[in-house]
Amino acid sequence: AQSVTQLDSQVPVFEEAPVELRCNYSSSVSVYLFWYVQYPNQGLQLLLKYLSGSTLVKGINGFEAEFNKSQTSFHLRKPSVHISDTAEYFCAVSEGSNTGKLIFGQGTTLQVKP
Amino acid sequence: NAGVTQTPKFRVLKTGQSMTLLCAQDMNHEYMYWYRQDPGMGLRLIHYSVGEGTTAKGEVPDGYNVSRLKKQNFLLGLESAAPSQTSVYFCASSRTGNYQPQHFGDGTRLSIL
């Protein structure tokens, strides 16, 4: 069975500092990987996705993620965060079946401090 | 362009009461999903639909029923609400399955007393 583990429940960081949010997955088949962001009292929005090809994926708002098959990881990074990046971030994996079902990690709360 | 709209946004129920949550999308998407979000547990799939007239069970389907009579609507029902169903419920839709991103509504906060 597939699973997703987000290694940090909360990540505090100062404004303009770099940040990395960690995500590991387990799967015996090829997967598609996603990062979503949830701002307070809102639904989830897609940040970026890995389907195939280049292992470095760029998304919206200056975020990027690197797919590492050997380490089964898909860590999210941003070189310089803003106050407005404060939100909850979810890593998700799709097994690639035609159902489109996603398995989500537990979420990481990014707290950007001034 | 409304995207995915969920109604109601908030609701308080008493144990044993029933209710229906409505999800409507205006993007002509084939696939629709219902999730629940609980602290520290991420989102868990309740039921999903791959097209009008179809439904299937997700990871945590017990205590819920769904219907997809029209392509644009996906209804989630609680027949006899229990305190364990207190949660935030999210509906999502996607054009198809596989690699298509899911588009989410803003959620329904449901409290069962």
Side-chain angles (χ1 to χ4, degrees):
Chain A
Q2 291 179 313
S3 66
V4 177
T5 301
Q6 292 183 239
L7 298 163
D8 306 293
S9 60
Q10 293 188 350
V11 174
V13 64
F14 287 105
E15 194 173 18
E16 297 184 5
V19 70
E20 178 180 81
L21 306 183
R22 298 179 293 169
C23 172
N24 285 92
Y25 69 92
S26 66
S27 176
S28 59
V29 299
S30 297
V31 296
Y32 303 121
L33 294 157
F34 304 81
W35 275 99
Y36 284 84
V37 59
Q38 183 182 31
Y39 299 104
N41 298 315
Q42 294 185 26
L44 280 67
Q45 302 173 32
L46 181 69
L47 268 181
L48 50 78
K49 60 185 178 184
Y50 172 78
L51 306 180
S52 64
S54 173
T55 57
L56 184 63
V57 180
K58 294 189 182 297
I60 62 171
N61 301 338
F63 284 92
E64 63 181 31
E66 186 160 15
F67 170 62
N68 188 320
K69 187 175 182 178
S70 62
Q71 297 188 6
T72 60
S73 67
F74 190 53
H75 300 334
L76 181 70
R77 302 186 182 103
K78 186 170 183 178
S80 176
V81 295
H82 303 287
I83 295 288
S84 59
D85 292 323
T86 295
E88 190 158 20
Y89 292 79
F90 291 95
C91 181
V93 61
S94 170
E95 62 184 11
S97 73
N98 203 33
T99 64
K101 291 191 293 183
L102 293 176
I103 304 297
F104 284 87
Q106 302 90 327
T108 298
T109 300
L110 176 63
Q111 302 164 322
V112 181
K113 304 176 181 181
Chain B
N1 187 1
V4 178
T5 303
Q6 293 183 233
T7 53
K9 296 189 184 306
F10 305 93
R11 187 73 183 269
V12 178
L13 290 178
K14 294 181 179 179
T15 298
Q17 288 184 319
S18 63
M19 80 162 295
T20 300
L21 281 63
L22 171 63
C23 176
Q25 53 95 4
D26 62 3
M27 296 173 283
N28 201 35
H29 284 172
E30 289 292 333
Y31 289 49
M32 297 187 75
Y33 309 85
W34 274 108
Y35 295 92
R36 59 178 290 173
Q37 182 180 26
D38 302 292
M41 301 186 74
L43 278 76
R44 292 179 293 168
L45 183 64
I46 305 171
H47 286 281
Y48 65 100
S49 169
V50 299
E52 181 178 311
T54 74
T55 62
K57 294 180 179 180
E59 181 185 359
V60 288
D62 293 343
Y64 305 95
N65 57 75
V66 289
S67 64
R68 183 100 182 267
L69 298 180
K70 293 183 178 180
K71 184 177 183 178
Q72 62 268 34
N73 296 336
F74 196 28
L75 305 177
L76 178 70
L78 285 72
E79 290 187 347
S80 180
S84 61
Q85 294 177 304
T86 293
S87 188
V88 182
Y89 291 86
F90 286 98
C91 176
S93 70
S94 64
R95 193 160 62 87
T96 59
N98 282 351
Y99 54 86
Q100 296 293 326
Q102 294 183 14
H103 299 257
F104 285 79
D106 286 340
T108 295
R109 293 182 179 276
L110 184 60
S111 293
I112 315 296
L113 304 179

